[in-house]
């Protein structure tokens, strides 16, 4: 996948979805607290998460400055946190996606450190050669 930068600095996102056994939601949430140390990792920006109202799945979205930072975290810290948290025992399956910042729509302060109250992530399947036709209306709308 190619990352295309339009404005600002590209960021990388890690999206995690876990199908949690309903009776173990509390244990999953407590185990999630072990991941707080991720905030000390180089390149880590922030994280948000919650429960998907439709599926009941746990979802977590973390943002990083770049893919190198995520790779270093995965190599040095991830397995130790996963092992000590015992979170794996609380869910049936887990899927992980790595997302790239492809288009930033201009705003007054689009820095990752701003006190944003909204993040919008759009998953779009586009026909070949239709990217500009999709992007241009979004950019005009947000300007």
């Amino acid at each position: 996948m190619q990352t295309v930068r339009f404005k600002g600095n590209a960021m990388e996102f890690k999206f995690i979805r876990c199908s949690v056994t309903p009776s173990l939601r509390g244990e999953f949430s407590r185990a999630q607290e072990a991941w707080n140390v991720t905030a000390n990792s180089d390149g880590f920006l922030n994280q948000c998460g919650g429960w998907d109202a439709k599926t009941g799945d746990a979802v977590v979205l973390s943002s990083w400055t770049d893919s190198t930072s995520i790779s270093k975290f995965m190599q040095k810290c991830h397995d130790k946190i996963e092992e000590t948290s015992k979170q794996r025992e609380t869910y049936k399956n887990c899927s992980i996606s790595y997302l790239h910042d492809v288009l930033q729509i201009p705003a007054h302060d689009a820095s990752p450190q701003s006190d944003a109250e909204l993040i919008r992530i759009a998953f779009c399947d586009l026909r070949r050669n239709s990217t500009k036709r999709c992007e241009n209306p979004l950019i005009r709308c947000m300007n």
Side-chain angles (χ1 to χ4, degrees):
M1 175 177 279
Q2 180 182 6
T3 299
V4 180
R5 285 195 239 177
F6 289 90
K7 293 194 176 196
N9 297 319
M11 289 189 292
E12 302 289 320
F13 300 91
K14 183 176 180 182
F15 180 72
I16 304 165
R17 175 180 291 274
C18 297
S19 297
V20 179
T21 304
S23 62
L24 298 176
R25 275 182 139 196
E27 286 87 345
F28 180 92
S29 292
R30 281 187 287 285
Q32 185 64 27
E33 293 173 13
W35 296 94
N36 288 342
V37 297
T38 304
N40 301 324
S41 299
D42 289 339
F44 177 81
L45 297 173
N46 53 44
Q47 175 177 296
C48 60
W51 299 99
D52 184 314
K54 290 181 182 177
T55 65
D57 290 349
V59 292
V60 177
L61 178 69
S62 61
S63 61
W64 298 77
T65 56
D66 52 60
S67 58
T68 302
S69 298
I70 296 173
S71 295
K72 286 181 181 176
F73 168 76
M74 295 300 293
Q75 292 170 0
K76 295 180 178 182
C77 305
H78 178 274
D79 292 351
K80 183 177 179 181
I81 298 169
E82 183 180 49
E83 186 179 309
T84 59
S85 75
K86 299 190 185 326
Q87 193 171 35
R88 185 177 287 229
E89 299 169 11
T90 66
Y91 59 84
K92 297 177 242 179
N93 58 56
C94 186
S95 66
I96 298 166
S97 301
Y98 293 95
L99 312 170
H100 306 278
D101 178 5
V102 177
L103 172 66
Q104 290 187 11
I105 299 172
H108 296 292
D109 181 4
S111 70
Q113 289 78 26
S114 68
D115 292 329
E117 294 182 14
L118 172 72
I119 181 171
R120 182 176 193 278
I121 296 176
F123 294 100
C124 303
D125 291 323
L126 301 176
R127 292 184 185 144
R128 187 179 307 269
N129 300 321
S130 66
T131 304
K132 288 289 181 201
R133 192 172 63 191
C134 178
E135 291 170 354
N136 290 337
L138 286 172
I139 293 169
R140 280 194 308 274
C141 174
M142 298 306 288
N143 282 330

